[in-house]
Amino acid sequence: MGEEEEANKMEASEPKELQQPVDEEKVVAAQEKHVAEEKSLIPVPQKVAAAPATDKSPNNRESVLARVETEKKVALIRAWEENEKAKVDNKAHKKISAIGSWENTKKAGVEAQLKRIEEKLEKKKAEYAEKMKNKVAEIHKEAEEKRAVIEAKKGEEFLKIEETAAKFRATGYTPKKLLGCFSN
């Protein structure tokens, strides 16, 4: 539709007597050519249909040359615009890629640091667990020693009591400590 509007503008700018009837096949061919030019990176200027041999007035030739010149300028401007847009797009894509790689590098560094810290913590945890196990074993050993000491004292006291009881039996003497709580 944009080309039809341009064609209408061109026709409107020409005097009525210079306007010529346009064949529909030529319009369709021109539209297809215009679409192809928009897709290509380097636009090819449109070829202007040659004026009929009967009409060789200088005014018509000048207007055709002027139209060709303006179309050439428009095509060059369009090509420049597309080129600049492509440059900006490539530049932005390059920067985005650089940011992505920077992000991945930083993430990898942080993850490596986290792993090192976790390994240190696991090592310390293992060391503390070992120390705690050693403390538990030491406490158990001390408890066993204390139990053994108490058992030994108990055995000694039993022997002492048995010796004293045998002595009391032999002499017929009654202990005063025990009966002291029963006496009045």
Side-chain angles (χ1 to χ4, degrees), residues 27-51:
V27 172
V28 172
Q31 286 176 347
E32 290 174 357
K33 192 176 213 179
H34 181 68
V35 169
E37 283 180 2
E38 284 184 11
K39 290 182 181 178
S40 67
L41 291 177
I42 302 173
V44 179
Q46 294 178 349
K47 292 182 181 178
V48 178

PDB file of all heavy atoms in Angstrom, residues 27-51:
ATOM      1  N   VAL A  27       2.148  -2.270 -12.432  1.00  0.00           N
ATOM      2  CA  VAL A  27       2.031  -1.878 -11.026  1.00  0.00           C
ATOM      3  C   VAL A  27       2.385  -3.062 -10.140  1.00  0.00           C
ATOM      4  O   VAL A  27       3.150  -2.935  -9.170  1.00  0.00           O
ATOM      5  CB  VAL A  27       0.606  -1.365 -10.716  1.00  0.00           C
ATOM      6  CG1 VAL A  27       0.426  -1.155  -9.226  1.00  0.00           C
ATOM      7  CG2 VAL A  27       0.330  -0.070 -11.464  1.00  0.00           C
ATOM      8  N   VAL A  28       1.861  -4.246 -10.442  1.00  0.00           N
ATOM      9  CA  VAL A  28       2.157  -5.447  -9.660  1.00  0.00           C
ATOM     10  C   VAL A  28       3.640  -5.764  -9.733  1.00  0.00           C
ATOM     11  O   VAL A  28       4.278  -6.083  -8.725  1.00  0.00           O
ATOM     12  CB  VAL A  28       1.305  -6.632 -10.163  1.00  0.00           C
ATOM     13  CG1 VAL A  28       1.747  -7.931  -9.505  1.00  0.00           C
ATOM     14  CG2 VAL A  28      -0.171  -6.375  -9.904  1.00  0.00           C
ATOM     15  N   ALA A  29       4.230  -5.665 -10.913  1.00  0.00           N
ATOM     16  CA  ALA A  29       5.666  -5.929 -11.073  1.00  0.00           C
ATOM     17  C   ALA A  29       6.473  -4.923 -10.270  1.00  0.00           C
ATOM     18  O   ALA A  29       7.468  -5.285  -9.620  1.00  0.00           O
ATOM     19  CB  ALA A  29       6.053  -5.874 -12.546  1.00  0.00           C
ATOM     20  N   ALA A  30       6.051  -3.674 -10.285  1.00  0.00           N
ATOM     21  CA  ALA A  30       6.760  -2.640  -9.529  1.00  0.00           C
ATOM     22  C   ALA A  30       6.653  -2.901  -8.033  1.00  0.00           C
ATOM     23  O   ALA A  30       7.623  -2.720  -7.288  1.00  0.00           O
ATOM     24  CB  ALA A  30       6.213  -1.263  -9.877  1.00  0.00           C
ATOM     25  N   GLN A  31       5.484  -3.357  -7.563  1.00  0.00           N
ATOM     26  CA  GLN A  31       5.308  -3.660  -6.144  1.00  0.00           C
ATOM     27  C   GLN A  31       6.195  -4.831  -5.737  1.00  0.00           C
ATOM     28  O   GLN A  31       6.825  -4.806  -4.673  1.00  0.00           O
ATOM     29  CB  GLN A  31       3.843  -3.987  -5.849  1.00  0.00           C
ATOM     30  CG  GLN A  31       2.933  -2.775  -5.860  1.00  0.00           C
ATOM     31  CD  GLN A  31       1.476  -3.163  -5.660  1.00  0.00           C
ATOM     32  OE1 GLN A  31       1.110  -4.328  -5.750  1.00  0.00           O
ATOM     33  NE2 GLN A  31       0.645  -2.148  -5.401  1.00  0.00           N
ATOM     34  N   GLU A  32       6.251  -5.875  -6.558  1.00  0.00           N
ATOM     35  CA  GLU A  32       7.099  -7.018  -6.246  1.00  0.00           C
ATOM     36  C   GLU A  32       8.565  -6.609  -6.212  1.00  0.00           C
ATOM     37  O   GLU A  32       9.327  -7.051  -5.350  1.00  0.00           O
ATOM     38  CB  GLU A  32       6.892  -8.126  -7.278  1.00  0.00           C
ATOM     39  CG  GLU A  32       5.539  -8.795  -7.191  1.00  0.00           C
ATOM     40  CD  GLU A  32       5.299  -9.790  -8.312  1.00  0.00           C
ATOM     41  OE1 GLU A  32       6.155  -9.926  -9.207  1.00  0.00           O
ATOM     42  OE2 GLU A  32       4.245 -10.433  -8.264  1.00  0.00           O
ATOM     43  N   LYS A  33       8.947  -5.743  -7.116  1.00  0.00           N
ATOM     44  CA  LYS A  33      10.322  -5.254  -7.167  1.00  0.00           C
ATOM     45  C   LYS A  33      10.630  -4.455  -5.908  1.00  0.00           C
ATOM     46  O   LYS A  33      11.695  -4.582  -5.316  1.00  0.00           O
ATOM     47  CB  LYS A  33      10.504  -4.403  -8.419  1.00  0.00           C
ATOM     48  CG  LYS A  33      11.927  -4.075  -8.725  1.00  0.00           C
ATOM     49  CD  LYS A  33      11.979  -3.315 -10.028  1.00  0.00           C
ATOM     50  CE  LYS A  33      13.234  -3.631 -10.769  1.00  0.00           C
ATOM     51  NZ  LYS A  33      13.309  -2.947 -12.040  1.00  0.00           N
ATOM     52  N   HIS A  34       9.664  -3.647  -5.465  1.00  0.00           N
ATOM     53  CA  HIS A  34       9.836  -2.814  -4.274  1.00  0.00           C
ATOM     54  C   HIS A  34      10.001  -3.692  -3.028  1.00  0.00           C
ATOM     55  O   HIS A  34      10.867  -3.449  -2.195  1.00  0.00           O
ATOM     56  CB  HIS A  34       8.636  -1.870  -4.111  1.00  0.00           C
ATOM     57  CG  HIS A  34       8.747  -0.972  -2.915  1.00  0.00           C
ATOM     58  ND1 HIS A  34       9.680   0.019  -2.833  1.00  0.00           N
ATOM     59  CD2 HIS A  34       8.043  -0.945  -1.756  1.00  0.00           C
ATOM     60  CE1 HIS A  34       9.553   0.630  -1.684  1.00  0.00           C
ATOM     61  NE2 HIS A  34       8.547   0.066  -1.005  1.00  0.00           N
ATOM     62  N   VAL A  35       9.213  -4.767  -2.897  1.00  0.00           N
ATOM     63  CA  VAL A  35       9.311  -5.683  -1.771  1.00  0.00           C
ATOM     64  C   VAL A  35      10.669  -6.374  -1.781  1.00  0.00           C
ATOM     65  O   VAL A  35      11.323  -6.526  -0.755  1.00  0.00           O
ATOM     66  CB  VAL A  35       8.160  -6.716  -1.815  1.00  0.00           C
ATOM     67  CG1 VAL A  35       8.388  -7.837  -0.815  1.00  0.00           C
ATOM     68  CG2 VAL A  35       6.825  -6.028  -1.575  1.00  0.00           C
ATOM     69  N   ALA A  36      11.130  -6.768  -2.960  1.00  0.00           N
ATOM     70  CA  ALA A  36      12.431  -7.422  -3.079  1.00  0.00           C
ATOM     71  C   ALA A  36      13.544  -6.466  -2.670  1.00  0.00           C
ATOM     72  O   ALA A  36      14.518  -6.855  -2.034  1.00  0.00           O
ATOM     73  CB  ALA A  36      12.651  -7.925  -4.503  1.00  0.00           C
ATOM     74  N   GLU A  37      13.405  -5.197  -3.049  1.00  0.00           N
ATOM     75  CA  GLU A  37      14.419  -4.203  -2.687  1.00  0.00           C
ATOM     76  C   GLU A  37      14.458  -3.978  -1.185  1.00  0.00           C
ATOM     77  O   GLU A  37      15.526  -3.817  -0.600  1.00  0.00           O
ATOM     78  CB  GLU A  37      14.134  -2.871  -3.396  1.00  0.00           C
ATOM     79  CG  GLU A  37      14.525  -2.850  -4.839  1.00  0.00           C
ATOM     80  CD  GLU A  37      14.218  -1.507  -5.482  1.00  0.00           C
ATOM     81  OE1 GLU A  37      13.744  -0.598  -4.810  1.00  0.00           O
ATOM     82  OE2 GLU A  37      14.491  -1.411  -6.668  1.00  0.00           O
ATOM     83  N   GLU A  38      13.311  -3.958  -0.538  1.00  0.00           N
ATOM     84  CA  GLU A  38      13.281  -3.757   0.908  1.00  0.00           C
ATOM     85  C   GLU A  38      13.972  -4.890   1.627  1.00  0.00           C
ATOM     86  O   GLU A  38      14.596  -4.688   2.660  1.00  0.00           O
ATOM     87  CB  GLU A  38      11.833  -3.650   1.387  1.00  0.00           C
ATOM     88  CG  GLU A  38      11.196  -2.322   1.072  1.00  0.00           C
ATOM     89  CD  GLU A  38       9.782  -2.223   1.646  1.00  0.00           C
ATOM     90  OE1 GLU A  38       9.399  -3.092   2.459  1.00  0.00           O
ATOM     91  OE2 GLU A  38       9.090  -1.277   1.275  1.00  0.00           O
ATOM     92  N   LYS A  39      13.908  -6.107   1.079  1.00  0.00           N
ATOM     93  CA  LYS A  39      14.516  -7.263   1.716  1.00  0.00           C
ATOM     94  C   LYS A  39      16.024  -7.299   1.506  1.00  0.00           C
ATOM     95  O   LYS A  39      16.751  -7.844   2.316  1.00  0.00           O
ATOM     96  CB  LYS A  39      13.897  -8.554   1.192  1.00  0.00           C
ATOM     97  CG  LYS A  39      12.464  -8.741   1.666  1.00  0.00           C
ATOM     98  CD  LYS A  39      11.905 -10.033   1.172  1.00  0.00           C
ATOM     99  CE  LYS A  39      10.465 -10.201   1.632  1.00  0.00           C
ATOM    100  NZ  LYS A  39       9.879 -11.418   1.121  1.00  0.00           N
ATOM    101  N   SER A  40      16.525  -6.746   0.441  1.00  0.00           N
ATOM    102  CA  SER A  40      17.962  -6.800   0.163  1.00  0.00           C
ATOM    103  C   SER A  40      18.686  -5.745   0.987  1.00  0.00           C
ATOM    104  O   SER A  40      18.122  -4.733   1.364  1.00  0.00           O
ATOM    105  CB  SER A  40      18.234  -6.588  -1.328  1.00  0.00           C
ATOM    106  OG  SER A  40      17.900  -5.271  -1.691  1.00  0.00           O
ATOM    107  N   LEU A  41      19.956  -6.005   1.303  1.00  0.00           N
ATOM    108  CA  LEU A  41      20.742  -5.064   2.079  1.00  0.00           C
ATOM    109  C   LEU A  41      21.131  -3.845   1.263  1.00  0.00           C
ATOM    110  O   LEU A  41      21.136  -2.733   1.767  1.00  0.00           O
ATOM    111  CB  LEU A  41      22.008  -5.744   2.614  1.00  0.00           C
ATOM    112  CG  LEU A  41      21.766  -6.800   3.686  1.00  0.00           C
ATOM    113  CD1 LEU A  41      23.086  -7.448   4.066  1.00  0.00           C
ATOM    114  CD2 LEU A  41      21.109  -6.185   4.891  1.00  0.00           C
ATOM    115  N   ILE A  42      21.482  -4.052   0.021  1.00  0.00           N
ATOM    116  CA  ILE A  42      21.862  -2.939  -0.839  1.00  0.00           C
ATOM    117  C   ILE A  42      20.742  -2.751  -1.849  1.00  0.00           C
ATOM    118  O   ILE A  42      20.548  -3.563  -2.746  1.00  0.00           O
ATOM    119  CB  ILE A  42      23.182  -3.222  -1.578  1.00  0.00           C
ATOM    120  CG1 ILE A  42      24.279  -3.503  -0.559  1.00  0.00           C
ATOM    121  CG2 ILE A  42      23.543  -2.061  -2.486  1.00  0.00           C
ATOM    122  CD1 ILE A  42      25.569  -3.961  -1.171  1.00  0.00           C
ATOM    123  N   PRO A  43      19.983  -1.689  -1.658  1.00  0.00           N
ATOM    124  CA  PRO A  43      18.843  -1.515  -2.558  1.00  0.00           C
ATOM    125  C   PRO A  43      19.294  -1.149  -3.968  1.00  0.00           C
ATOM    126  O   PRO A  43      20.285  -0.467  -4.175  1.00  0.00           O
ATOM    127  CB  PRO A  43      18.056  -0.381  -1.929  1.00  0.00           C
ATOM    128  CG  PRO A  43      19.041   0.364  -1.125  1.00  0.00           C
ATOM    129  CD  PRO A  43      20.071  -0.638  -0.681  1.00  0.00           C
ATOM    130  N   VAL A  44      18.556  -1.653  -4.906  1.00  0.00           N
ATOM    131  CA  VAL A  44      18.808  -1.357  -6.310  1.00  0.00           C
ATOM    132  C   VAL A  44      17.798  -0.303  -6.724  1.00  0.00           C
ATOM    133  O   VAL A  44      16.602  -0.455  -6.455  1.00  0.00           O
ATOM    134  CB  VAL A  44      18.638  -2.630  -7.169  1.00  0.00           C
ATOM    135  CG1 VAL A  44      18.865  -2.322  -8.632  1.00  0.00           C
ATOM    136  CG2 VAL A  44      19.558  -3.712  -6.679  1.00  0.00           C
ATOM    137  N   PRO A  45      18.241   0.790  -7.319  1.00  0.00           N
ATOM    138  CA  PRO A  45      17.277   1.820  -7.705  1.00  0.00           C
ATOM    139  C   PRO A  45      16.273   1.245  -8.698  1.00  0.00           C
ATOM    140  O   PRO A  45      16.600   0.424  -9.547  1.00  0.00           O
ATOM    141  CB  PRO A  45      18.109   2.924  -8.337  1.00  0.00           C
ATOM    142  CG  PRO A  45      19.514   2.456  -8.343  1.00  0.00           C
ATOM    143  CD  PRO A  45      19.593   1.137  -7.660  1.00  0.00           C
ATOM    144  N   GLN A  46      15.031   1.722  -8.548  1.00  0.00           N
ATOM    145  CA  GLN A  46      13.974   1.232  -9.434  1.00  0.00           C
ATOM    146  C   GLN A  46      14.186   1.795 -10.837  1.00  0.00           C
ATOM    147  O   GLN A  46      14.597   2.932 -11.017  1.00  0.00           O
ATOM    148  CB  GLN A  46      12.606   1.687  -8.926  1.00  0.00           C
ATOM    149  CG  GLN A  46      12.239   1.068  -7.603  1.00  0.00           C
ATOM    150  CD  GLN A  46      10.888   1.580  -7.120  1.00  0.00           C
ATOM    151  OE1 GLN A  46      10.355   2.527  -7.675  1.00  0.00           O
ATOM    152  NE2 GLN A  46      10.367   0.951  -6.089  1.00  0.00           N
ATOM    153  N   LYS A  47      13.885   0.942 -11.781  1.00  0.00           N
ATOM    154  CA  LYS A  47      13.994   1.398 -13.172  1.00  0.00           C
ATOM    155  C   LYS A  47      12.685   2.101 -13.536  1.00  0.00           C
ATOM    156  O   LYS A  47      11.601   1.631 -13.205  1.00  0.00           O
ATOM    157  CB  LYS A  47      14.211   0.218 -14.112  1.00  0.00           C
ATOM    158  CG  LYS A  47      15.560  -0.451 -13.921  1.00  0.00           C
ATOM    159  CD  LYS A  47      15.740  -1.563 -14.906  1.00  0.00           C
ATOM    160  CE  LYS A  47      17.083  -2.244 -14.685  1.00  0.00           C
ATOM    161  NZ  LYS A  47      17.281  -3.362 -15.582  1.00  0.00           N
ATOM    162  N   VAL A  48      12.846   3.195 -14.133  1.00  0.00           N
ATOM    163  CA  VAL A  48      11.678   3.962 -14.544  1.00  0.00           C
ATOM    164  C   VAL A  48      11.298   3.511 -15.947  1.00  0.00           C
ATOM    165  O   VAL A  48      12.149   3.343 -16.817  1.00  0.00           O
ATOM    166  CB  VAL A  48      11.992   5.475 -14.525  1.00  0.00           C
ATOM    167  CG1 VAL A  48      10.803   6.277 -15.001  1.00  0.00           C
ATOM    168  CG2 VAL A  48      12.432   5.898 -13.147  1.00  0.00           C
ATOM    169  N   ALA A  49       9.994   3.304 -16.148  1.00  0.00           N
ATOM    170  CA  ALA A  49       9.533   2.886 -17.471  1.00  0.00           C
ATOM    171  C   ALA A  49       9.834   3.994 -18.471  1.00  0.00           C
ATOM    172  O   ALA A  49       9.616   5.174 -18.204  1.00  0.00           O
ATOM    173  CB  ALA A  49       8.037   2.600 -17.437  1.00  0.00           C
ATOM    174  N   ALA A  50      10.412   3.597 -19.557  1.00  0.00           N
ATOM    175  CA  ALA A  50      10.777   4.588 -20.583  1.00  0.00           C
ATOM    176  C   ALA A  50       9.510   5.240 -21.144  1.00  0.00           C
ATOM    177  O   ALA A  50       8.483   4.590 -21.326  1.00  0.00           O
ATOM    178  CB  ALA A  50      11.552   3.933 -21.705  1.00  0.00           C
ATOM    179  N   ALA A  51       9.603   6.523 -21.352  1.00  0.00           N
ATOM    180  CA  ALA A  51       8.455   7.265 -21.896  1.00  0.00           C
ATOM    181  C   ALA A  51       8.254   6.841 -23.349  1.00  0.00           C
ATOM    182  O   ALA A  51       9.203   6.465 -24.037  1.00  0.00           O
ATOM    183  CB  ALA A  51       8.725   8.756 -21.814  1.00  0.00           C
TER     184      ALA A  51
END
